[in-house]
Amino acid sequence: MTGKTLLWDQTLFRRGELFEFDYIPEHFAHRDSQQRSLIFGVRPALHGMRPLNMLCVGPPGTGKTTAARKAFEELGEHAPGVVTAHVNCQASQTRYTIFSQIFQRLIGHAPPTSGVSFKKILDEIAKYLIQNEKILIVVLDDINYLFHEKEADNVLYSLLRAHETHPGAKIGIIAILSDDSLSYVFDPKVGSIFLPEEILFPRYAWDEIKSILSDRAKLGFYPGVLSEDVLDVIVDYTSEAGDLRVGIDLLKRSALNAEARASTSISEDDVRLAYRKSRILHLSRMIASLGSGEQAILAILAKRAGAKEQTAGDLYATFHESTGLGYTRFHAMLHKLATLRLIDAEIATEGMHGRSRRIALKYDSEDVLGAMQSRSL
Ligand SMILES: Nc1ncnc2c1ncn2[C@@H]1O[C@H](COP(=O)(O)OP(=O)(O)OP(=O)(O)O)[C@@H](O)[C@H]1O
Ligand SMILES: [Mg+2]
């Protein structure tokens, strides 16, 4: 098919909606054990019992949100006594807005905007659950956005204590944490009652990425649009970023690039051109999820124009000056940035100590600063 020309009203997309991020795939492969754990945890609710609390942890683009949505899809058919509320904590970053979202999901309209206290909203939610004999499961998706000012602790505490403040209310929590590590720390008063089942979402392996993207392309494009060789290039880029979203975005953008050249198939150049954009998208999302200390490290690295690479010792000096934080925190943050593949932290051959490590950004400085800028707007 290569070389054929597309007519102006023709398209490569058989089903374009398959390349949108909120699309829930019919076929959700390579996540069977996570899916089973989720179902196992919510199953008690089918028999009128409080479900187990769960915590899904894994890096970006590993299927956490999709797994929760699929589990509810399955549950929905069998559980008339269960209501679910999937809250996006990036969009709702305070306890008040989160409970307003839950209220809206249950009652069907938002609470009156002014003069309603948090307590009143919680009262109404609990009253609804008790009167209608419903069990509520709340998904706190991307809960890392609530780690500022202990908001996550406040939200969890209010949900976990609801059965004491409102006897008879049954609420379960599925928290989703976009992180590589289990390094989160909840407040002790929450930690002692949350005790979630932890469900880990590791990065997809190269051939898993290939099978998922190949499936998506087969359903979403017309036959002959994507050759196996070009698919492999997309899988390489996706695997390097470690985020399946990059792959799906690449499929979409490279097909649009091919269309723009009026070609009936995607070329490697279409992919390379698309990758510049997909990479920035991925970068912005990752930066948005970081804490202020980690962002400070990236900013320092990015602002040293010309010296893209520097030693951990230099970097720490500047970091300490601007944040006042100590070496242990700095070290943990470096580790996180390296696992997120935002920086390279190589041990320099001439040095024997951690402090002589050379630290380098894995992205262009301008892209990093650009992504931070767009965040603060
Ligand atoms: N196993 C899979 N099969 C098919 N599609 C998948 C699979 N896992 C993830 N996806 C797709 O990849 C994209 C990212 O998945 P998802 O949003 O669930 O990731 P996530 O772990 O919630 O990421 P983040 O932490 O950034 O929110 C979605 O478009 C989803 O459809
Ligand atoms: Mg998600």
Side-chain angles (χ1 to χ4, degrees):
M1 255 183 84
T2 320
K4 277 203 198 150
T5 308
L6 205 64
L7 298 177
W8 68 272
D9 62 342
Q10 289 180 324
T11 172
L12 307 187
F13 295 94
R14 177 157 56 188
R15 292 177 58 200
E17 75 276 12
L18 263 67
F19 303 99
E20 302 302 332
F21 292 139
D22 51 4
Y23 169 76
I24 302 185
E26 288 108 86
H27 186 53
F28 187 50
H30 313 297
R31 284 298 179 235
D32 291 345
S33 79
Q34 288 81 354
Q35 227 25 25
R36 269 200 305 278
S37 305
L38 277 165
I39 302 280
F40 174 82
V42 299
R43 198 191 296 280
L46 303 184
H47 311 293
M49 290 185 285
R50 208 166 270 121
L52 301 178
N53 295 319
M54 289 174 272
L55 178 66
C56 301
V57 190
T62 50
K64 301 179 296 297
T65 299
T66 310
R69 291 207 181 274
K70 291 290 276 188
F72 285 169
E73 234 177 49
E74 227 169 277
L75 182 74
E77 296 154 19
H78 311 283
V82 180
V83 274
T84 57
H86 193 121
V87 182
N88 175 340
C89 300
Q90 183 176 14
S92 304
Q93 297 200 0
T94 65
R95 184 176 72 161
Y96 191 88
T97 52
I98 287 171
F99 278 77
S100 299
Q101 289 286 320
I102 300 173
F103 178 102
Q104 170 145 25
R105 176 81 176 91
L106 298 183
I107 321 275
H109 60 84
T113 43
S114 64
V116 184
S117 67
F118 164 75
K119 186 178 173 306
K120 178 81 182 135
I121 295 180
L122 177 57
D123 287 348
E124 290 298 319
I125 291 173
K127 195 165 99 194
Y128 174 92
L129 295 177
I130 295 165
Q131 279 177 356
N132 296 282
E133 294 185 19
K134 298 272 189 195
I135 296 177
L136 170 66
I137 303 179
V138 179
V139 177
L140 296 170
D141 201 345
D142 283 334
I143 193 172
N144 32 305
Y145 284 97
L146 304 183
F147 285 172
H148 61 90
E149 286 151 34
K150 298 210 161 277
E151 208 63 17
D153 293 321
N154 289 335
V155 171
L156 288 170
Y157 196 66
S158 303
L159 288 171
L160 292 164
R161 290 283 310 276
H163 67 281
E164 290 173 18
T165 51
H166 301 81
K170 292 179 184 163
I171 303 179
I173 300 170
I174 301 178
I176 298 180
L177 179 59
S178 193
D179 202 330
D180 244 332
S181 58
L182 287 167
S183 62
Y184 58 91
V185 197
F186 293 113
D187 190 279
K189 75 174 182 188
V190 170
S192 61
I193 42 177
F194 186 33
L195 304 172
E197 305 293 315
E198 278 163 9
I199 307 178
L200 301 184
F201 288 71
R203 283 206 173 88
Y204 291 114
W206 195 93
D207 45 342
E208 291 174 335
I209 296 175
K210 179 161 174 176
S211 90
I212 294 169
L213 293 181
S214 160
D215 259 15
R216 196 70 67 105
K218 268 187 208 123
L219 295 171
F221 295 140
Y222 285 105
V225 166
L226 183 68
S227 71
E228 172 130 12
D229 287 351
V230 177
L231 172 62
D232 283 354
V233 176
I234 295 183
V235 177
D236 284 344
Y237 281 133
T238 310
S239 170
E240 164 68 18
D243 178 347
L244 200 61
R245 219 181 264 109
V246 171
I248 292 169
D249 194 56
L250 272 177
L251 288 174
K252 175 176 168 179
R253 283 182 208 267
S254 359
L256 290 173
N257 287 343
E259 282 188 351
R261 319 183 274 117
S263 166
T264 54
S265 62
I266 300 171
S267 70
E268 287 191 23
D269 278 343
D270 292 327
V271 178
R272 266 189 282 277
L273 188 64
Y275 186 56
R276 286 192 209 140
K277 295 262 174 61
S278 302
R279 201 171 143 81
I280 292 176
L281 182 93
H282 174 63
L283 177 68
S284 312
R285 200 183 146 75
M286 299 237 285
I287 289 182
S289 74
L290 295 174
S292 55
E294 290 137 4
Q295 293 199 12
I297 295 179
L298 290 182
I300 297 167
L301 283 167
K303 280 178 190 153
R304 300 255 166 109
K308 229 181 107 186
E309 189 183 284
Q310 50 190 304
T311 66
D314 289 348
L315 184 60
Y316 173 64
T318 320
F319 170 81
H320 178 69
E321 206 171 287
S322 71
T323 62
L325 296 171
Y327 194 78
T328 316
R329 295 283 301 281
F330 171 73
H331 187 76
M333 289 173 186
L334 274 193
H335 179 72
K336 175 161 173 188
L337 293 173
T339 6
L340 286 175
R341 304 179 188 186
L342 288 166
I343 61 168
D344 267 328
E346 306 261 318
I347 311 280
T349 39
E350 71 272 20
M352 286 169 58
H353 302 290
R355 280 166 204 247
S356 62
R357 281 187 306 176
R358 303 197 78 76
I359 312 292
L361 273 179
K362 293 192 72 165
Y363 289 81
D364 285 341
S365 313
E366 304 86 73
D367 291 346
V368 170
L369 293 172
M372 289 184 160
Q373 211 83 55
S374 65
R375 263 278 294 155
S376 56
L377 285 178

